Amino acid sequence: MSSGGIGVTIAAGNGGVAVTGVSVTGAAAGKLQKGDVILSAGGVAVKSVDGAKKVLGDSLRKQVDIALVVRRGGAQTNVTLPLAPKQAKPAEAKQQPAKPASPAAAPAAGAAKPGTVGMVLENAASGVAIVDVVAGGAAYACGQVRKGDVIVAVDGNKVANVNDAKSFLKGNAGAPVKLSIRRAGQPVEAVVTRFAPGQKAPAPDNSKTEKPAPSKAAAAAQKPASSGKKQVGVGMSVTQHPSGFLVKAVVPDGAAARSGKVKAGQILTAVDGKPVKGLAMKNLVPLLVGDEGSSVVLSLQPAGVSQPIQAALVRGSTAEGPPVGSVAVSNKEEAEAKQAPLLAEQVASKLEGKIKRRPSVQELEEQNILHAGPGGSIQATKEALEKEQKKDKLASKLASRPEKQRLEETNILHAGPGGSLQATKEALEKEQKKDKLASKLASRPEKQRLEETNILH
């Protein structure tokens, strides 16, 4: 949520509504801080973003100050947002003419009022990133300022950080301020006329520009991401998480790594102030991917820390090397959609490798893996293969049997009359008896030797 007079962006938080950004010139400047959790507003408990919008919006429309109860750093504190118009004191009005003032700061009539530009800013790698353009604010009405732009100068003064920008953007309501912006690596200039507190514009006037007739080159420089610029991400891998998206890894030298704030294990809760809890992966990718050189602000919740942190990133290349911005997702559907050409090529390569590794029909036949039978059918091939295997097994058994002649010589097989098995058995037993009797007779001593030993006389 954002408001021209309040200058704050909010998102769903723990026990209330979290402050994700504070404008340097809005009513919340110096009152609220990023990471604050608004618990109540005007005595009404704040439980949702819509509830906060209603309470704060009513006070803004009525132009009355509103008291907030805020949790900051684990402790509660009271904050009052000054929304009521302030009238200059007579003494101050008398002293005003005595002070020299530039034409831009001179009041049109009566006492001057401080102006606002309606932007939420964050330090970036080089310059100041516009985290949000407050709806209805001065920058919004200008029509030439966009979320993600990087301010490099204000009225010709170089901007190095948010404090510089805050100082240069201060001025009276109705006074113009010139912004030098870098958008997608291209220079853009815009003139913003400061608004009085509480002033709102119904819609941006895109016809306003510093030059009445911009050149084609200038118009091309202001085109959105679809203008053909290289699309890059932020250099981190994420996966879905109940509270948003879990940062799984940070690409070395990528946009996330260069920020020094993004770490693996953190929970991504918002992108450019937009909550991502419950968001589909396919809807997150367009938020992270953008023109090379463009800015994006991530809201991250580190583990064990109660307050979220903000990281302003610049997508794409560094001065030392080629573009390094990238975004990786672990959602299967989104990953396959983005890598379909590569996956198709990998599948084709694997299939080709499998086909090359297959043996030829001739090799299969020689190995008896494939042996075509009549008709060449699979069943016939299987039957023929089984038949060949049985033949080989039978031949092996026959080869291992002793020959008939060798069996006869060893008296294992001795054919009798007629060659029957019974006759063979009887002949074998008869031969064995003859051999046993001959052995006994041969073991008897001779008569002469018995007489000499007086065993037989």
PDB file of all heavy atoms in Angstrom, residues 407-437:
ATOM      1  N   LEU A 407      33.521 -98.565 -21.523  1.00  0.00           N
ATOM      2  CA  LEU A 407      32.733 -99.178 -20.467  1.00  0.00           C
ATOM      3  C   LEU A 407      32.951-100.690 -20.414  1.00  0.00           C
ATOM      4  O   LEU A 407      33.006-101.302 -19.348  1.00  0.00           O
ATOM      5  CB  LEU A 407      31.245 -98.874 -20.681  1.00  0.00           C
ATOM      6  CG  LEU A 407      30.827 -97.406 -20.493  1.00  0.00           C
ATOM      7  CD1 LEU A 407      29.362 -97.245 -20.883  1.00  0.00           C
ATOM      8  CD2 LEU A 407      31.047 -96.983 -19.059  1.00  0.00           C
ATOM      9  N   GLU A 408      33.057-101.325 -21.587  1.00  0.00           N
ATOM     10  CA  GLU A 408      33.300-102.772 -21.625  1.00  0.00           C
ATOM     11  C   GLU A 408      34.659-103.104 -21.059  1.00  0.00           C
ATOM     12  O   GLU A 408      34.836-104.079 -20.329  1.00  0.00           O
ATOM     13  CB  GLU A 408      33.181-103.280 -23.069  1.00  0.00           C
ATOM     14  CG  GLU A 408      31.763-103.251 -23.604  1.00  0.00           C
ATOM     15  CD  GLU A 408      31.699-103.682 -25.069  1.00  0.00           C
ATOM     16  OE1 GLU A 408      32.759-103.730 -25.710  1.00  0.00           O
ATOM     17  OE2 GLU A 408      30.593-103.934 -25.549  1.00  0.00           O
ATOM     18  N   GLU A 409      35.654-102.275 -21.385  1.00  0.00           N
ATOM     19  CA  GLU A 409      37.008-102.542 -20.919  1.00  0.00           C
ATOM     20  C   GLU A 409      37.106-102.425 -19.410  1.00  0.00           C
ATOM     21  O   GLU A 409      37.927-103.069 -18.772  1.00  0.00           O
ATOM     22  CB  GLU A 409      37.977-101.577 -21.580  1.00  0.00           C
ATOM     23  CG  GLU A 409      38.146-101.830 -23.084  1.00  0.00           C
ATOM     24  CD  GLU A 409      39.024-100.774 -23.752  1.00  0.00           C
ATOM     25  OE1 GLU A 409      39.363 -99.794 -23.040  1.00  0.00           O
ATOM     26  OE2 GLU A 409      39.336-100.908 -24.929  1.00  0.00           O
ATOM     27  N   THR A 410      36.264-101.571 -18.827  1.00  0.00           N
ATOM     28  CA  THR A 410      36.303-101.392 -17.365  1.00  0.00           C
ATOM     29  C   THR A 410      35.267-102.270 -16.669  1.00  0.00           C
ATOM     30  O   THR A 410      34.998-102.099 -15.495  1.00  0.00           O
ATOM     31  CB  THR A 410      36.058 -99.917 -17.012  1.00  0.00           C
ATOM     32  OG1 THR A 410      34.809 -99.516 -17.571  1.00  0.00           O
ATOM     33  CG2 THR A 410      37.166 -99.045 -17.548  1.00  0.00           C
ATOM     34  N   ASN A 411      34.679-103.163 -17.402  1.00  0.00           N
ATOM     35  CA  ASN A 411      33.702-104.108 -16.857  1.00  0.00           C
ATOM     36  C   ASN A 411      32.470-103.424 -16.283  1.00  0.00           C
ATOM     37  O   ASN A 411      31.773-104.002 -15.460  1.00  0.00           O
ATOM     38  CB  ASN A 411      34.331-104.982 -15.766  1.00  0.00           C
ATOM     39  CG  ASN A 411      35.299-105.991 -16.368  1.00  0.00           C
ATOM     40  OD1 ASN A 411      35.059-106.501 -17.461  1.00  0.00           O
ATOM     41  ND2 ASN A 411      36.386-106.257 -15.664  1.00  0.00           N
ATOM     42  N   ILE A 412      32.270-102.171 -16.624  1.00  0.00           N
ATOM     43  CA  ILE A 412      31.050-101.511 -16.212  1.00  0.00           C
ATOM     44  C   ILE A 412      29.917-101.932 -17.138  1.00  0.00           C
ATOM     45  O   ILE A 412      28.781-102.103 -16.714  1.00  0.00           O
ATOM     46  CB  ILE A 412      31.240 -99.979 -16.230  1.00  0.00           C
ATOM     47  CG1 ILE A 412      32.270 -99.601 -15.173  1.00  0.00           C
ATOM     48  CG2 ILE A 412      29.929 -99.258 -15.960  1.00  0.00           C
ATOM     49  CD1 ILE A 412      32.643 -98.150 -15.193  1.00  0.00           C
ATOM     50  N   LEU A 413      30.234-102.118 -18.400  1.00  0.00           N
ATOM     51  CA  LEU A 413      29.258-102.607 -19.363  1.00  0.00           C
ATOM     52  C   LEU A 413      29.907-103.772 -20.115  1.00  0.00           C
ATOM     53  O   LEU A 413      30.929-103.583 -20.785  1.00  0.00           O
ATOM     54  CB  LEU A 413      28.859-101.487 -20.334  1.00  0.00           C
ATOM     55  CG  LEU A 413      27.891-101.894 -21.433  1.00  0.00           C
ATOM     56  CD1 LEU A 413      26.573-102.364 -20.817  1.00  0.00           C
ATOM     57  CD2 LEU A 413      27.649-100.721 -22.375  1.00  0.00           C
ATOM     58  N   HIS A 414      29.343-104.993 -19.968  1.00  0.00           N
ATOM     59  CA  HIS A 414      29.869-106.167 -20.659  1.00  0.00           C
ATOM     60  C   HIS A 414      28.674-106.919 -21.229  1.00  0.00           C
ATOM     61  O   HIS A 414      27.901-107.506 -20.485  1.00  0.00           O
ATOM     62  CB  HIS A 414      30.653-107.064 -19.675  1.00  0.00           C
ATOM     63  CG  HIS A 414      31.419-108.156 -20.359  1.00  0.00           C
ATOM     64  ND1 HIS A 414      32.619-107.941 -20.979  1.00  0.00           N
ATOM     65  CD2 HIS A 414      31.112-109.460 -20.524  1.00  0.00           C
ATOM     66  CE1 HIS A 414      33.043-109.089 -21.495  1.00  0.00           C
ATOM     67  NE2 HIS A 414      32.133-110.061 -21.228  1.00  0.00           N
ATOM     68  N   ALA A 415      28.566-106.913 -22.518  1.00  0.00           N
ATOM     69  CA  ALA A 415      27.375-107.471 -23.145  1.00  0.00           C
ATOM     70  C   ALA A 415      27.394-108.986 -23.063  1.00  0.00           C
ATOM     71  O   ALA A 415      28.378-109.621 -23.425  1.00  0.00           O
ATOM     72  CB  ALA A 415      27.288-107.013 -24.581  1.00  0.00           C
ATOM     73  N   GLY A 416      26.303-109.608 -22.574  1.00  0.00           N
ATOM     74  CA  GLY A 416      26.146-111.046 -22.564  1.00  0.00           C
ATOM     75  C   GLY A 416      25.332-111.489 -23.755  1.00  0.00           C
ATOM     76  O   GLY A 416      25.082-110.695 -24.672  1.00  0.00           O
ATOM     77  N   PRO A 417      24.910-112.795 -23.740  1.00  0.00           N
ATOM     78  CA  PRO A 417      24.084-113.279 -24.856  1.00  0.00           C
ATOM     79  C   PRO A 417      22.805-112.456 -24.986  1.00  0.00           C
ATOM     80  O   PRO A 417      22.103-112.254 -24.022  1.00  0.00           O
ATOM     81  CB  PRO A 417      23.774-114.734 -24.445  1.00  0.00           C
ATOM     82  CG  PRO A 417      24.843-115.094 -23.471  1.00  0.00           C
ATOM     83  CD  PRO A 417      25.214-113.866 -22.752  1.00  0.00           C
ATOM     84  N   GLY A 418      22.594-112.029 -26.169  1.00  0.00           N
ATOM     85  CA  GLY A 418      21.384-111.239 -26.416  1.00  0.00           C
ATOM     86  C   GLY A 418      21.553-109.775 -26.092  1.00  0.00           C
ATOM     87  O   GLY A 418      20.747-108.946 -26.484  1.00  0.00           O
ATOM     88  N   GLY A 419      22.591-109.463 -25.307  1.00  0.00           N
ATOM     89  CA  GLY A 419      22.869-108.053 -25.011  1.00  0.00           C
ATOM     90  C   GLY A 419      21.902-107.427 -24.049  1.00  0.00           C
ATOM     91  O   GLY A 419      21.844-106.211 -23.969  1.00  0.00           O
ATOM     92  N   SER A 420      21.127-108.275 -23.247  1.00  0.00           N
ATOM     93  CA  SER A 420      20.173-107.671 -22.329  1.00  0.00           C
ATOM     94  C   SER A 420      20.889-107.186 -21.077  1.00  0.00           C
ATOM     95  O   SER A 420      22.003-107.609 -20.776  1.00  0.00           O
ATOM     96  CB  SER A 420      19.085-108.683 -21.947  1.00  0.00           C
ATOM     97  OG  SER A 420      19.666-109.748 -21.201  1.00  0.00           O
ATOM     98  N   LEU A 421      20.186-106.323 -20.315  1.00  0.00           N
ATOM     99  CA  LEU A 421      20.775-105.755 -19.106  1.00  0.00           C
ATOM    100  C   LEU A 421      20.984-106.835 -18.049  1.00  0.00           C
ATOM    101  O   LEU A 421      22.009-106.874 -17.372  1.00  0.00           O
ATOM    102  CB  LEU A 421      19.860-104.660 -18.556  1.00  0.00           C
ATOM    103  CG  LEU A 421      20.352-103.954 -17.292  1.00  0.00           C
ATOM    104  CD1 LEU A 421      21.699-103.291 -17.537  1.00  0.00           C
ATOM    105  CD2 LEU A 421      19.326-102.939 -16.837  1.00  0.00           C
ATOM    106  N   GLN A 422      20.031-107.807 -17.917  1.00  0.00           N
ATOM    107  CA  GLN A 422      20.144-108.862 -16.917  1.00  0.00           C
ATOM    108  C   GLN A 422      21.314-109.778 -17.249  1.00  0.00           C
ATOM    109  O   GLN A 422      22.090-110.155 -16.365  1.00  0.00           O
ATOM    110  CB  GLN A 422      18.829-109.672 -16.860  1.00  0.00           C
ATOM    111  CG  GLN A 422      18.822-110.780 -15.821  1.00  0.00           C
ATOM    112  CD  GLN A 422      18.965-110.256 -14.406  1.00  0.00           C
ATOM    113  OE1 GLN A 422      18.523-109.146 -14.132  1.00  0.00           O
ATOM    114  NE2 GLN A 422      19.598-111.043 -13.547  1.00  0.00           N
ATOM    115  N   ALA A 423      21.433-110.153 -18.522  1.00  0.00           N
ATOM    116  CA  ALA A 423      22.547-111.016 -18.941  1.00  0.00           C
ATOM    117  C   ALA A 423      23.857-110.318 -18.691  1.00  0.00           C
ATOM    118  O   ALA A 423      24.847-110.939 -18.278  1.00  0.00           O
ATOM    119  CB  ALA A 423      22.390-111.371 -20.419  1.00  0.00           C
ATOM    120  N   THR A 424      23.877-109.039 -18.906  1.00  0.00           N
ATOM    121  CA  THR A 424      25.109-108.272 -18.685  1.00  0.00           C
ATOM    122  C   THR A 424      25.468-108.283 -17.208  1.00  0.00           C
ATOM    123  O   THR A 424      26.632-108.430 -16.835  1.00  0.00           O
ATOM    124  CB  THR A 424      24.916-106.826 -19.163  1.00  0.00           C
ATOM    125  OG1 THR A 424      24.607-106.828 -20.548  1.00  0.00           O
ATOM    126  CG2 THR A 424      26.162-106.003 -18.919  1.00  0.00           C
ATOM    127  N   LYS A 425      24.487-108.128 -16.329  1.00  0.00           N
ATOM    128  CA  LYS A 425      24.722-108.113 -14.888  1.00  0.00           C
ATOM    129  C   LYS A 425      25.245-109.475 -14.419  1.00  0.00           C
ATOM    130  O   LYS A 425      26.198-109.552 -13.630  1.00  0.00           O
ATOM    131  CB  LYS A 425      23.422-107.769 -14.171  1.00  0.00           C
ATOM    132  CG  LYS A 425      23.552-107.712 -12.660  1.00  0.00           C
ATOM    133  CD  LYS A 425      22.223-107.325 -12.031  1.00  0.00           C
ATOM    134  CE  LYS A 425      22.365-107.279 -10.506  1.00  0.00           C
ATOM    135  NZ  LYS A 425      21.087-106.929  -9.859  1.00  0.00           N
ATOM    136  N   GLU A 426      24.624-110.600 -14.905  1.00  0.00           N
ATOM    137  CA  GLU A 426      25.049-111.946 -14.496  1.00  0.00           C
ATOM    138  C   GLU A 426      26.466-112.232 -14.977  1.00  0.00           C
ATOM    139  O   GLU A 426      27.271-112.808 -14.244  1.00  0.00           O
ATOM    140  CB  GLU A 426      24.072-112.983 -15.058  1.00  0.00           C
ATOM    141  CG  GLU A 426      22.699-112.910 -14.422  1.00  0.00           C
ATOM    142  CD  GLU A 426      21.712-113.836 -15.111  1.00  0.00           C
ATOM    143  OE1 GLU A 426      22.078-114.438 -16.146  1.00  0.00           O
ATOM    144  OE2 GLU A 426      20.575-113.944 -14.639  1.00  0.00           O
ATOM    145  N   ALA A 427      26.763-111.813 -16.177  1.00  0.00           N
ATOM    146  CA  ALA A 427      28.113-112.047 -16.709  1.00  0.00           C
ATOM    147  C   ALA A 427      29.129-111.266 -15.893  1.00  0.00           C
ATOM    148  O   ALA A 427      30.237-111.746 -15.625  1.00  0.00           O
ATOM    149  CB  ALA A 427      28.158-111.613 -18.178  1.00  0.00           C
ATOM    150  N   LEU A 428      28.769-110.050 -15.482  1.00  0.00           N
ATOM    151  CA  LEU A 428      29.681-109.230 -14.692  1.00  0.00           C
ATOM    152  C   LEU A 428      29.927-109.875 -13.335  1.00  0.00           C
ATOM    153  O   LEU A 428      31.077-109.955 -12.869  1.00  0.00           O
ATOM    154  CB  LEU A 428      29.063-107.834 -14.512  1.00  0.00           C
ATOM    155  CG  LEU A 428      29.871-106.847 -13.668  1.00  0.00           C
ATOM    156  CD1 LEU A 428      31.266-106.639 -14.247  1.00  0.00           C
ATOM    157  CD2 LEU A 428      29.136-105.524 -13.555  1.00  0.00           C
ATOM    158  N   GLU A 429      28.869-110.380 -12.671  1.00  0.00           N
ATOM    159  CA  GLU A 429      29.032-111.017 -11.364  1.00  0.00           C
ATOM    160  C   GLU A 429      29.879-112.286 -11.481  1.00  0.00           C
ATOM    161  O   GLU A 429      30.706-112.589 -10.608  1.00  0.00           O
ATOM    162  CB  GLU A 429      27.659-111.346 -10.786  1.00  0.00           C
ATOM    163  CG  GLU A 429      26.862-110.120 -10.367  1.00  0.00           C
ATOM    164  CD  GLU A 429      25.467-110.482  -9.904  1.00  0.00           C
ATOM    165  OE1 GLU A 429      25.075-111.660 -10.086  1.00  0.00           O
ATOM    166  OE2 GLU A 429      24.757-109.584  -9.375  1.00  0.00           O
ATOM    167  N   LYS A 430      29.682-113.076 -12.570  1.00  0.00           N
ATOM    168  CA  LYS A 430      30.464-114.305 -12.799  1.00  0.00           C
ATOM    169  C   LYS A 430      31.945-113.991 -12.962  1.00  0.00           C
ATOM    170  O   LYS A 430      32.808-114.663 -12.391  1.00  0.00           O
ATOM    171  CB  LYS A 430      29.925-115.015 -14.037  1.00  0.00           C
ATOM    172  CG  LYS A 430      30.578-116.350 -14.298  1.00  0.00           C
ATOM    173  CD  LYS A 430      29.912-117.032 -15.497  1.00  0.00           C
ATOM    174  CE  LYS A 430      30.561-118.394 -15.775  1.00  0.00           C
ATOM    175  NZ  LYS A 430      29.952-119.085 -16.932  1.00  0.00           N
ATOM    176  N   GLU A 431      32.214-112.941 -13.693  1.00  0.00           N
ATOM    177  CA  GLU A 431      33.617-112.549 -13.903  1.00  0.00           C
ATOM    178  C   GLU A 431      34.236-112.093 -12.590  1.00  0.00           C
ATOM    179  O   GLU A 431      35.400-112.360 -12.314  1.00  0.00           O
ATOM    180  CB  GLU A 431      33.683-111.410 -14.927  1.00  0.00           C
ATOM    181  CG  GLU A 431      33.359-111.839 -16.351  1.00  0.00           C
ATOM    182  CD  GLU A 431      34.394-112.809 -16.900  1.00  0.00           C
ATOM    183  OE1 GLU A 431      35.575-112.726 -16.485  1.00  0.00           O
ATOM    184  OE2 GLU A 431      34.014-113.653 -17.723  1.00  0.00           O
ATOM    185  N   GLN A 432      33.445-111.350 -11.766  1.00  0.00           N
ATOM    186  CA  GLN A 432      33.966-110.876 -10.481  1.00  0.00           C
ATOM    187  C   GLN A 432      34.277-112.062  -9.561  1.00  0.00           C
ATOM    188  O   GLN A 432      35.271-112.057  -8.828  1.00  0.00           O
ATOM    189  CB  GLN A 432      32.940-109.944  -9.823  1.00  0.00           C
ATOM    190  CG  GLN A 432      32.820-108.592 -10.521  1.00  0.00           C
ATOM    191  CD  GLN A 432      31.710-107.756  -9.946  1.00  0.00           C
ATOM    192  OE1 GLN A 432      30.815-108.291  -9.259  1.00  0.00           O
ATOM    193  NE2 GLN A 432      31.748-106.455 -10.252  1.00  0.00           N
ATOM    194  N   LYS A 433      33.435-113.149  -9.552  1.00  0.00           N
ATOM    195  CA  LYS A 433      33.683-114.337  -8.726  1.00  0.00           C
ATOM    196  C   LYS A 433      34.943-115.040  -9.171  1.00  0.00           C
ATOM    197  O   LYS A 433      35.732-115.517  -8.358  1.00  0.00           O
ATOM    198  CB  LYS A 433      32.483-115.285  -8.800  1.00  0.00           C
ATOM    199  CG  LYS A 433      31.274-114.776  -8.033  1.00  0.00           C
ATOM    200  CD  LYS A 433      30.107-115.753  -8.143  1.00  0.00           C
ATOM    201  CE  LYS A 433      28.896-115.247  -7.386  1.00  0.00           C
ATOM    202  NZ  LYS A 433      27.738-116.174  -7.481  1.00  0.00           N
ATOM    203  N   LYS A 434      35.114-115.159 -10.484  1.00  0.00           N
ATOM    204  CA  LYS A 434      36.323-115.809 -11.012  1.00  0.00           C
ATOM    205  C   LYS A 434      37.562-115.042 -10.567  1.00  0.00           C
ATOM    206  O   LYS A 434      38.555-115.624 -10.148  1.00  0.00           O
ATOM    207  CB  LYS A 434      36.263-115.854 -12.540  1.00  0.00           C
ATOM    208  CG  LYS A 434      35.311-116.893 -13.094  1.00  0.00           C
ATOM    209  CD  LYS A 434      35.370-116.884 -14.625  1.00  0.00           C
ATOM    210  CE  LYS A 434      34.428-117.928 -15.226  1.00  0.00           C
ATOM    211  NZ  LYS A 434      34.490-117.939 -16.699  1.00  0.00           N
ATOM    212  N   ASP A 435      37.508-113.738 -10.646  1.00  0.00           N
ATOM    213  CA  ASP A 435      38.664-112.921 -10.244  1.00  0.00           C
ATOM    214  C   ASP A 435      38.961-113.084  -8.762  1.00  0.00           C
ATOM    215  O   ASP A 435      40.114-113.151  -8.345  1.00  0.00           O
ATOM    216  CB  ASP A 435      38.386-111.456 -10.556  1.00  0.00           C
ATOM    217  CG  ASP A 435      38.356-111.189 -12.054  1.00  0.00           C
ATOM    218  OD1 ASP A 435      38.875-112.027 -12.811  1.00  0.00           O
ATOM    219  OD2 ASP A 435      37.818-110.114 -12.462  1.00  0.00           O
ATOM    220  N   LYS A 436      37.919-113.166  -7.909  1.00  0.00           N
ATOM    221  CA  LYS A 436      38.100-113.303  -6.469  1.00  0.00           C
ATOM    222  C   LYS A 436      38.709-114.660  -6.125  1.00  0.00           C
ATOM    223  O   LYS A 436      39.594-114.766  -5.282  1.00  0.00           O
ATOM    224  CB  LYS A 436      36.737-113.122  -5.789  1.00  0.00           C
ATOM    225  CG  LYS A 436      36.810-113.085  -4.283  1.00  0.00           C
ATOM    226  CD  LYS A 436      35.420-112.771  -3.716  1.00  0.00           C
ATOM    227  CE  LYS A 436      35.490-112.683  -2.193  1.00  0.00           C
ATOM    228  NZ  LYS A 436      34.158-112.379  -1.605  1.00  0.00           N
ATOM    229  N   LEU A 437      38.224-115.781  -6.806  1.00  0.00           N
ATOM    230  CA  LEU A 437      38.747-117.117  -6.552  1.00  0.00           C
ATOM    231  C   LEU A 437      40.199-117.218  -6.982  1.00  0.00           C
ATOM    232  O   LEU A 437      41.039-117.777  -6.282  1.00  0.00           O
ATOM    233  CB  LEU A 437      37.883-118.158  -7.302  1.00  0.00           C
ATOM    234  CG  LEU A 437      38.281-119.621  -7.124  1.00  0.00           C
ATOM    235  CD1 LEU A 437      38.251-120.004  -5.651  1.00  0.00           C
ATOM    236  CD2 LEU A 437      37.355-120.532  -7.932  1.00  0.00           C
TER     237      LEU A 437
END
